């Protein structure tokens, strides 16, 4: 047996900037090259802008200027400016910052003294300059290492300038998708009425807050005009449309919490409870929320976000902090523990506000009440009809033992006997939706059976866009898929974090992919909005010679492989998943798995998307196909 020593020499202390670079995921979630909105380069932008937003929230500076050019980001605010003697400390001493002092920043996003330092360490160049009352203090860095600093007079207005360029050593051949940046900036404007944000010369300003966010996302008239309610530390918008699912944006202290959290859960609960109480009928919560479009924003002190990227709120209370005496010492309780000053729970705070304000609104605006209750009744009627059909279909399939033939479940994460599942367990769980015995057999053979399940479709699913909900419920394939996912009654019961559509790279495979995505878009759009639905990328080509093998996912990658391997090259064009051998396929669904996340820009775009791709065969669609179609000759095998 091999032995190893473990001594004091094994204990290492990393310099702060090296720790950030070595463990970047702890600070910004993930790296990435900018192709997806969650990639780290957007987190870097957000960390710097958040500081400027916090200045505005405290009443300083009404404009923030943002410029992105040649992958370099410049952010200039007109707030108070960093205290001049603390510019270097605030940008390079980890866990040092003004956000720890509630008198300076009462309800800020950044609380851990980490964000700006992470940007500094992960940038090949970083420059900061603070302007305060005719003086300025500046510092420049390279990958977190201080190059130079100084002070001097200035004629510029008070505020802070930050200029940085993300490090290509960390982010590779990255590029900013300006659509993602524009969405970020728009959200800031909706949440901070009166603030002007200028992105590359274009100004964004909202006069009506979250109401503008909801209205600008609607391409069809809702059932009733959106309800907009504001209170101290809370703002909500609520309306109902005719689409399926719920579309509620959520924010905390200006942070877009796209993964929700305690505030969104409280809002969903409050909507259902308030409507049930108003109508004095025991409607199911799911019927009260079917078709909801809205938003919620709350302001709390010292929020507890799950992860440095702050996409999900974990706080239970509106504030929660230790009690200090006049000398700043902890006050002890009778049990010897530090006393904690807690505010109301977020759940009670949101519930009380919605119950009081929404009830008052409905009593004053009685004209919208009949349409609202009719929407709830229609949802109830359809749900009960569909539930009955699905139950009969499941019982029929159970007798025929169809379910066990179609789903190869993972044996650990969602074994009924396993009652406690860690966040890592849930994060790693996935289900592959594939077609045919060959493809499903290949994936089943090489998958990680602990956390990867496989669901096998038989042939092409029905086109849900053209069929009624009743017809879809009667469909064996989709009914079994719903059951496998666990979302018959509530999306919160979803059994897998990632739903991965894995189809062949040919015409039939692409058609099946579109049919499956149409099913999710029409009836379970929230699964897409929450980032659960993905498309598996598998290689189109294998390029190899006697010395090396390269798997290529595009024609460009194939051409690069040909140049690299040069002579004696054999090219194989993969058209079906079943054509790829098991020992090769294991890499494509392992650690190096490539996934394309399916995204929706806004709720009301769904009907237009489905009409274009899955509706009648229009001239517009025919022209789109002609303009974007690659001939199979470009993809065929080539022998060299």
């Amino acid at each position: 047996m091999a032995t190893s020593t473990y001594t004091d020499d094994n204990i290492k202390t990393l310099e702060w900037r090296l720790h950030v670079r070595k463990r970047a995921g702890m600070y910004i979630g993930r790296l990435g090259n900018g192709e997806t909105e969650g990639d780290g380069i957007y987190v870097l932008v957000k960390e710097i802008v958040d500081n400027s937003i916090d200045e505005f929230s405290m009443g300083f500076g009404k404009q923030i200027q943002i410029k992105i050019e040649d992958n370099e980001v410049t952010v200039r605010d007109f707030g108070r400016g960093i205290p001049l003697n603390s510019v270097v400390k605030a940008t390079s001493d980890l866990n040092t910052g003004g956000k720890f002092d509630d008198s300076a920043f009462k309800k800020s996003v950044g609380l851990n003294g980490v964000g700006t330092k992470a940007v500094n360490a992960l940038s090949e160049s970083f420059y900061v300059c603070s302007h305060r009352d005719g003086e300025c203090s500046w510092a420049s860095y390279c990958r977190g290492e201080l190059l130079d600093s100084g002070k001097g007079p200035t004629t510029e207005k008070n505020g802070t300038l930050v200029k940085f360029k993300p490090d290509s050593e960390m982010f590779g051949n990255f590029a900013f998708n300006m659509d993602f940046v524009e969405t970020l900036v728009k959200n800031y404007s909706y949440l901070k009425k009166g603030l002007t944000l200028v992105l590359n010369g274009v100004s964004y300003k909202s006069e009506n807050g979250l109401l503008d966010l909801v209205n600008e996302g609607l391409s069809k008239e809702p059932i009733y005009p959106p309800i907009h309610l504001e209170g101290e530390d809370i703002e909500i918008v609520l309306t109902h449309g005719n689409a399926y699912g719920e579309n509620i944006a959520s924010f905390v202290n200006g942070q877009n919490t796209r993964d929700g959290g305690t505030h969104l859960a409280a809002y969903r609960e409050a909507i259902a409870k308030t409507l049930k109480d108003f109508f004095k009928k025991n409607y199911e919560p799911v019927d009260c929320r079917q078709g909801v479009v809205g938003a919620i924003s709350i302001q709390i002190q010292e929020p507890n976000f799950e992860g440095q990227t702050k996409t999900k709120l974990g706080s239970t209370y509106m504030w929660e902090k230790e009690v200090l005496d006049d000398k700043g010492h902890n006050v002890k309780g009778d049990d010897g523990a530090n006393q904690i000053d807690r505010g109301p729970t977020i759940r009670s705070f949101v519930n009380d506000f919605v119950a009081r304000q929404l009830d008052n609104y409905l009593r004053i605006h009685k004209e919208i009440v009949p349409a609202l209750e009719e929407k709830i009744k229609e949802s109830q009627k359809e749900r009960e009809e569909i539930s009955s059909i699905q139950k009969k279909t499941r019982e029929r399939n159970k007798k025929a033992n169809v379910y066990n033939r179609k789903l190869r479940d993972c044996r650990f994460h969602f074994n009924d006997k396993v009652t406690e599942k860690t966040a890592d367990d849930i994060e790693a769980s996935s289900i592959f939706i594939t077609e045919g015995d060959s493809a499903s057999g290949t994936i089943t053979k090489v998958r990680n059976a602990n956390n990867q399940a496989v669901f096998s479709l038989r042939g092409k699913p029905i086109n849900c866009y053209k069929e009624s909900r009743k017809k879809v419920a009667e469909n064996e394939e989709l009914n079994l898929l719903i059951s496998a996912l666990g979302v018959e009654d509530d999306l919160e019961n979803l059994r897998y974090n990632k739903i991965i559509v894995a189809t062949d790279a040919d015409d039939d495979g692409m058609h099946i992919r579109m049919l499956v995505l149409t099913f999710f878009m029409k009836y379970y759009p929230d699964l897409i909005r929450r980032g659960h639905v993905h498309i598996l990328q598998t290689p189109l080509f294998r390029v190899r010679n006697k010395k090396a093998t390269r798997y290529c996912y595009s024609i460009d990658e194939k051409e690069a492989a040909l140049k690299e391997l040069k002579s004696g090259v054999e090219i194989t064009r993969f058209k079906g998943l079943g054509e790829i051998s098991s020992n090769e396929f294991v890499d494509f669904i392992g650690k190096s798995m490539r996934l394309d996340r399916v995204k929706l820009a806004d709720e009301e775009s769904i009907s237009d998307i489905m009409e274009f791709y899955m509706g009648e065969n229009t001239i517009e669609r025919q022209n789109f196909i002609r303009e974007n179609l690659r001939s199979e000759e470009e993809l065929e095998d080539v022998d060299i």
Side-chain angles (χ1 to χ4, degrees):
M1 178 182 293
T3 60
S4 61
T5 59
Y6 178 51
T7 69
D8 291 333
D9 293 335
N10 297 113
I11 307 301
K12 306 294 183 184
T13 300
L14 287 178
E15 186 183 352
W16 72 271
R17 64 185 187 90
L18 297 179
H19 188 273
V20 173
R21 293 174 67 82
K22 188 175 182 64
R23 296 287 184 265
M26 291 175 56
Y27 298 90
I28 63 169
R30 67 167 182 253
L31 293 172
N33 62 3
E35 291 182 352
T36 60
E37 58 189 336
D39 285 351
I41 60 172
Y42 304 110
V43 178
L44 302 188
V45 175
K46 189 183 160 311
E47 290 288 358
I48 300 302
V49 177
D50 278 346
N51 294 331
S52 300
I53 293 292
D54 288 338
E55 281 293 314
F56 172 80
S57 298
M58 292 300 296
F60 301 93
K62 294 184 178 180
Q63 185 182 99
I64 300 172
Q65 299 171 352
I66 306 166
K67 182 179 179 181
I68 299 180
E69 187 176 26
D70 296 329
N71 283 338
E72 184 175 66
V73 181
T74 304
V75 179
R76 172 69 157 100
D77 68 43
F78 299 90
R80 291 167 289 185
I82 302 171
L84 299 183
N85 292 328
S86 300
V87 168
V88 173
K89 289 194 298 182
T91 52
S92 62
D93 284 4
L94 210 59
N95 301 319
T96 298
K99 308 297 178 64
F100 299 107
D101 184 353
D102 285 346
S103 65
F105 293 93
K106 292 184 178 178
K107 291 167 184 174
S108 64
V109 175
L111 292 173
N112 299 319
V114 169
T116 301
K117 292 79 169 179
V119 179
N120 187 354
L122 296 172
S123 297
E124 62 182 63
S125 62
F126 182 94
Y127 173 82
V128 57
C129 185
S130 175
H131 302 272
R132 287 182 71 130
D133 303 325
E135 293 185 85
C136 70
S137 178
W138 57 270
S140 62
Y141 301 83
C142 176
R143 299 181 175 92
E145 185 173 0
L146 182 64
L147 300 179
D148 199 2
S149 65
K151 295 181 180 179
T154 182
T155 58
E156 292 198 27
K157 293 181 179 179
N158 285 2
T160 303
L161 168 72
V162 173
K163 183 182 295 187
F164 69 93
K165 187 171 186 177
D167 189 359
S168 57
E169 288 184 5
M170 303 298 297
F171 299 98
N173 186 25
F174 70 92
F176 285 97
N177 183 323
M178 294 308 295
D179 288 340
F180 297 157
V181 180
E182 182 183 12
T183 298
L184 176 71
V185 170
K186 280 185 176 180
N187 283 339
Y188 278 128
S189 69
Y190 296 136
L191 293 161
K192 300 296 178 182
K193 289 185 290 185
L195 172 65
T196 299
L197 297 108
V198 182
L199 174 62
N200 287 353
V202 180
S203 296
Y204 298 87
K205 184 178 181 180
S206 172
E207 300 295 341
N208 302 298
L210 291 185
L211 181 61
D212 287 340
L213 181 151
V214 172
N215 277 331
E216 290 180 21
L218 293 172
S219 61
K220 293 185 178 180
E221 286 293 320
I223 292 173
Y224 56 90
I227 300 169
H228 185 207
L229 303 172
E230 295 181 89
E232 185 176 357
D233 295 332
I234 186 170
E235 179 182 3
I236 66 168
V237 179
L238 174 70
T239 187
H240 281 76
N242 287 312
Y244 287 90
E246 306 168 23
N247 184 15
I248 305 175
S250 65
F251 304 86
V252 175
N253 293 10
Q255 163 66 30
N256 183 358
T257 46
R258 63 174 182 267
D259 294 325
T262 51
H263 59 317
L264 179 57
Y267 187 35
R268 295 177 69 244
E269 177 187 351
I271 292 170
K273 185 177 185 301
T274 302
L275 293 180
K276 287 168 62 177
D277 291 345
F278 179 84
F279 291 115
K280 295 181 171 59
K281 294 179 182 177
N282 192 27
Y283 291 127
E284 288 293 324
V286 66
D287 296 324
C288 294
R289 295 193 299 260
Q290 183 65 271
V292 158
V293 181
I296 178 172
S297 172
I298 66 172
Q299 303 285 325
I300 67 177
Q301 289 190 23
E302 300 192 19
N304 174 28
F305 293 102
E306 296 184 5
Q308 171 63 15
T309 51
K310 310 181 183 83
T311 57
K312 185 175 184 180
L313 180 66
S315 298
T316 302
Y317 299 92
M318 292 295 290
W319 68 81
E320 186 174 12
K321 53 188 177 182
E322 295 179 337
V323 178
L324 305 178
D325 60 22
D326 293 339
K327 296 181 179 180
H329 299 144
N330 292 106
V331 176
K332 304 290 184 180
D334 294 337
D335 59 356
N338 293 341
Q339 285 190 12
I340 304 297
D341 174 22
R342 291 188 176 94
T345 65
I346 290 173
R347 180 184 179 189
S348 64
F349 174 77
V350 174
N351 267 279
D352 291 347
F353 176 81
V354 174
R356 181 176 62 257
Q357 298 295 331
L358 180 56
D359 183 87
N360 289 342
Y361 188 94
L362 294 176
R363 294 186 187 282
I364 295 172
H365 299 83
K366 297 179 180 179
E367 69 279 4
I368 73 172
V369 171
L372 175 55
E373 186 167 28
E374 182 62 26
K375 170 65 179 177
I376 296 173
K377 289 180 177 179
E378 289 176 358
S379 175
Q380 180 185 45
K381 180 180 178 181
E382 182 183 49
R383 178 182 55 79
E384 290 173 347
E385 289 178 350
I386 299 307
S387 179
S388 177
I389 294 171
Q390 289 178 335
K391 182 178 179 181
K392 292 177 181 177
T393 305
R394 284 196 297 270
E395 289 175 350
R396 184 176 67 249
N397 290 332
K398 187 176 181 180
K399 290 179 182 180
N401 200 29
V402 175
Y403 187 82
N404 290 335
R405 295 199 304 268
K406 299 189 72 62
L407 175 67
R408 281 87 165 182
D409 211 347
C410 45
R411 60 174 173 254
F412 174 73
H413 287 287
F414 295 99
N415 186 314
D416 291 337
K417 296 180 181 179
V418 178
T419 55
E420 293 187 6
K421 307 176 183 71
T422 68
D424 289 340
D425 292 338
I426 297 172
E427 175 70 24
S429 62
S430 58
I431 182 170
F432 294 94
I433 301 174
T434 189
E435 187 273 326
D437 294 336
S438 178
S440 62
T442 299
I443 296 179
T444 300
K445 185 176 180 180
V446 302
R447 64 171 175 154
N448 181 341
N450 279 333
N451 51 45
Q452 292 180 328
V454 181
F455 184 89
S456 177
L457 293 169
R458 185 185 67 231
K460 294 182 179 180
I462 63 173
N463 184 349
C464 296
Y465 179 65
K466 298 180 179 180
E467 300 291 351
S468 66
R469 184 72 176 95
K470 180 178 178 181
K471 187 75 172 178
V472 172
E474 292 172 340
N475 181 265
E476 178 184 283
E477 297 289 302
L478 297 180
N479 201 323
L480 289 169
L481 177 58
I482 294 169
S483 181
L485 296 176
V487 295
E488 301 101 317
D489 301 317
D490 196 321
L491 292 190
E492 301 303 320
N493 298 327
L494 179 66
R495 301 174 70 232
Y496 312 95
N497 181 47
K498 290 186 175 68
I499 302 168
I500 303 171
V501 183
T503 57
D504 292 343
D506 58 13
D507 291 344
D508 282 343
M510 295 301 103
H511 192 202
I512 292 170
R513 176 190 295 179
M514 286 298 299
L515 291 168
V516 173
L517 294 182
T518 299
F519 165 69
F520 286 125
M521 289 173 65
K522 185 169 183 179
Y523 295 113
Y524 295 95
D526 290 347
L527 292 177
I528 297 177
R529 294 192 193 102
R530 298 180 187 181
H532 293 298
V533 182
H534 300 77
I535 294 171
L536 176 68
Q537 287 190 38
T538 53
L540 294 174
F541 308 97
R542 180 180 61 211
V543 181
R544 64 183 178 184
N545 58 19
K546 293 182 179 180
K547 295 183 179 180
T549 299
R550 298 289 181 267
Y551 296 99
C552 309
Y553 292 75
S554 67
I555 292 178
D556 290 340
E557 288 188 16
K558 181 191 73 171
E559 295 302 322
L562 287 173
K563 292 180 180 178
E564 177 190 359
L565 301 184
K566 297 179 180 178
S567 61
V569 176
E570 173 193 83
I571 302 175
T572 301
R573 161 76 165 102
F574 296 122
K575 297 182 181 180
L577 301 182
E579 295 178 358
I580 306 175
S581 65
S582 299
N583 63 326
E584 292 177 297
F585 203 90
V586 66
D587 293 328
F588 308 142
I589 61 171
K591 292 183 178 180
S592 59
M593 178 166 58
R594 296 194 191 184
L595 295 177
D596 288 331
R597 177 186 159 194
V598 181
K599 298 185 289 291
L600 290 172
D602 57 73
E603 192 268 345
E604 291 297 328
S605 67
I606 294 176
S607 58
D608 295 335
I609 294 171
M610 290 192 295
E611 174 62 33
F612 182 81
Y613 288 104
M614 308 306 291
E616 297 299 323
N617 190 12
T618 62
I619 294 296
E620 290 80 3
R621 187 165 75 191
Q622 292 176 27
N623 290 336
F624 174 83
I625 293 172
R626 291 190 186 98
E627 293 169 4
N628 291 274
L629 183 66
R630 284 183 180 273
S631 68
E632 185 61 26
E633 292 178 2
E634 296 180 87
L635 303 176
E636 285 292 343
D637 296 356
V638 179
D639 294 322
I640 297 179

